[in-house]
Amino acid sequence: MTDSPDPRELAELFHAVSRTMRRRTLAQLEPWGITPHHARALRCVAETEPARLRDLADRLRIAARSATEVVDALQEKGLVTRAPDPHDRRATLVSPTSDGLSLVEQIDAARAERNAEFFGALSTEDRMALQRILGSLPVE
C-alpha cells in the first residue's frame, strides 16, 4: 500500500505558498502605490494597446463596472489614457501612457528578480516538475 499525501495538507501547503507570494507582491508594489490587481490590469493594457474596456474586463475576468473602476484608478495615477473608439462610438479604448509602460517594465524586472530568488530554492528539475504539475491543475 502506497501512502498518498493528504489533500488537506496539500491544500494548506499550496495556500501557504500563495499567501507568501501575495505578501511579497504587495510589499514589492508598495513603493509604486499600486495594487496587484491594478498592476495586472496595467500589464493587460500594455500588452493589447489600445484595449477596449469590455475586452479588458473579459481578459481580467471581472465585471465591466469593475474594469471601469480599475481604469479610473490607473488614469488618476497617469498610467493610462482613455479615448473614444473611432470604429464604435459606444466603446472606449484604453492605452498606457509612457509612465505606465515604464512602470510595467520596472514591475517586470522586480518580479523576475523576486521570482528567481523565490523559486531558486528549488532545483531545475523540481522547478520543471512544479511547472508541469501546476499546469495540469484546472484553472478558472
Side-chain angles (χ1 to χ4, degrees):
M1 180 169 135
T2 305
D3 288 331
S4 180
D6 180 349
R8 291 174 298 182
E9 189 176 329
L10 287 174
E12 284 301 317
L13 288 169
F14 187 83
H15 286 295
V17 169
S18 294
R19 283 190 304 270
T20 298
M21 291 189 76
R22 174 103 174 136
R23 232 181 357 262
R24 288 179 178 205
T25 298
L26 287 168
Q28 175 192 35
L29 295 173
E30 188 176 1
W32 292 299
I34 191 168
T35 67
H37 190 64
H38 291 162
R40 184 168 173 251
L42 182 59
R43 156 149 315 293
C44 288
V45 170
E47 289 174 349
T48 60
E49 68 171 294
R52 279 188 173 189
L53 203 50
R54 174 77 246 171
D55 295 338
L56 181 61
D58 290 345
R59 193 154 176 220
L60 294 172
R61 296 180 180 165
I62 60 176
R65 175 74 185 134
S66 296
T68 299
E69 291 171 1
V70 168
V71 170
D72 287 346
L74 293 173
Q75 189 172 20
E76 284 178 26
K77 292 181 180 299
L79 301 173
V80 300
T81 60
R82 285 185 169 106
D85 185 334
H87 305 292
D88 182 352
R89 292 183 316 191
R90 300 167 295 164
T92 299
L93 298 176
V94 182
S95 298
T97 63
S98 59
D99 286 347
L101 291 173
S102 175
L103 182 57
V104 168
E105 289 176 8
Q106 293 172 54
I107 290 171
D108 282 351
R111 179 173 286 157
E113 185 177 316
R114 184 193 76 232
N115 289 341
E117 176 187 314
F118 187 78
F119 291 108
L122 301 174
S123 69
T124 301
E125 294 80 19
D126 286 347
R127 286 193 305 270
M128 290 172 66
L130 181 60
Q131 182 175 2
R132 179 186 54 74
I133 291 165
L134 292 176
S136 67
L137 293 173
V139 178
E140 296 175 9

